[in-house]
Amino acid sequence: MSRTLRAPGLPPPRRILMRQVSLRARRHLGRWLDHLAPRACALCGTALAAGALSGVCTGCLLDLPGAARGRCPRCALPTAESPCLCTADSCTANSCAADPWPLDAALAVADYAPPFDRLIHALKFGRQLALARPLGELLATAWLGQTDPPVLDCLIPVPLGPERLRTRGFNQSLEMARAMSRCMGDRLPVLAHSLARRRDTPEQSRLGLAQRRANLTDAFIVHGRLEGCRVGLVDDVMTSGSTVIAAAQALKDAGAVRVTALLAARTD
């Protein structure tokens, strides 16, 4: 069996090195490498300007799928009107008319469509942890770009089940939340362990709408109380909304007064 020989003292390639260190070390190493070479746009590879807030270049940012569409402020579904004419009590997309609807607001960066969906897929299933940073930065950019963004007290990621976390090795929503917080100057604490899953559940993407809702009945538990807390609930993709709704209800039951879903992408 042939082996690739490396001269003594030469560092291994970045990809091999990144596989050999822990997740925490990988995050610190990535920041250090930023000082050695300019960051590239996560979508097109164009070099980013120094100090760029988002990990996506201006051109790609303007071309994000669905970025210019009006969205319901409670469920983030695209609406026919731009700007959206939905109110807190009326959704023209007919998604959040359900009672109760525990989400007070929802913000999505873009539609779950090419080429943006490739970033999320590569993060979740390709183990490209570095992509959590531009996704979190895009969330921060979208949040700060609102005319009058509501106050948040903390960020809480939608958790994975124990077995899926062991298999994947990281929670993509947690990594996005950390990146979002750093982009905002660490003003928002990330409560990584406040929300947990009681059990592993089947993949939502394989289930119908009714099955998705039943799948998540009593699936989440909150450790401690969140009395009076205004929570930013971070997740990668919202499809039927069953996961985010179940998580938001658990947070409300624990005392949160307001829950805003912060989503990298939304499906129609």
Side-chain angles (χ1 to χ4, degrees):
M1 181 181 296
S2 62
R3 294 178 57 190
T4 301
L5 299 180
R6 187 177 307 281
L10 289 181
R14 176 174 176 168
R15 182 174 297 178
I16 295 176
L17 178 61
M18 295 291 265
R19 289 175 181 170
Q20 294 175 345
V21 293
S22 68
L23 291 179
R24 179 174 296 179
R26 284 166 67 177
R27 286 192 289 268
H28 290 301
L29 180 59
R31 293 176 208 167
W32 178 74
L33 289 172
D34 285 344
H35 296 289
L36 301 183
R39 293 178 63 197
C41 172
L43 284 171
C44 71
T46 300
L48 296 175
L53 179 64
S54 169
V56 173
C57 71
T58 303
C60 288
L61 197 60
L62 294 173
D63 290 336
L64 287 176
R69 302 168 79 179
R71 293 183 185 275
C72 173
R74 295 183 71 210
C75 64
L77 266 180
T79 61
E81 304 87 4
S82 184
C84 176
L85 300 179
C86 289
T87 67
D89 301 313
S90 173
C91 174
T92 60
N94 258 341
S95 169
C96 52
D99 186 26
W101 181 261
L103 285 177
D104 297 281
L107 174 74
V109 171
D111 291 340
Y112 189 67
F116 189 61
D117 57 346
R118 295 202 300 265
L119 295 184
I120 299 172
H121 192 274
L123 169 62
K124 291 174 67 173
F125 305 112
R127 300 181 61 82
Q128 296 187 35
L129 186 62
L131 293 176
R133 178 177 176 182
L135 288 170
E137 290 171 341
L138 284 171
L139 270 177
T141 302
W143 179 258
L144 295 173
Q146 297 179 102
T147 303
D148 187 20
V151 175
L152 293 177
D153 297 312
C154 64
L155 299 177
I156 294 181
V158 171
L160 297 178
E163 184 57 36
R164 190 160 302 141
L165 181 59
R166 280 193 292 270
T167 300
R168 186 169 297 166
F170 62 92
N171 177 3
Q172 70 278 356
S173 297
L174 171 58
E175 298 305 321
M176 286 168 47
R178 285 171 169 159
M180 179 180 178
S181 177
R182 285 195 299 270
C183 189
M184 297 172 70
D186 291 315
R187 296 197 304 266
L188 291 175
V190 178
L191 306 185
H193 306 293
S194 287
L195 182 66
R197 290 193 187 240
R198 296 179 185 272
R199 62 185 185 279
D200 282 289
T201 54
E203 286 278 3
Q204 289 287 93
S205 58
R206 301 177 183 176
L207 305 174
L209 180 58
Q211 291 174 308
R212 290 184 182 204
R213 290 172 178 165
N215 186 41
L216 292 166
T217 300
D218 202 31
F220 294 100
I221 184 172
V222 178
H223 299 296
R225 297 293 298 173
L226 296 168
E227 299 295 344
C229 197
R230 295 159 293 189
V231 177
L233 179 62
V234 180
D235 203 9
D236 52 356
V237 183
M238 182 172 172
T239 304
S240 69
S242 299
T243 300
V244 172
I245 292 168
Q249 188 60 62
L251 295 172
K252 285 287 186 72
D253 292 343
V257 294
R258 182 178 177 87
V259 178
T260 300
L262 302 172
L263 313 163
R266 183 70 159 101
T267 62
D268 286 319

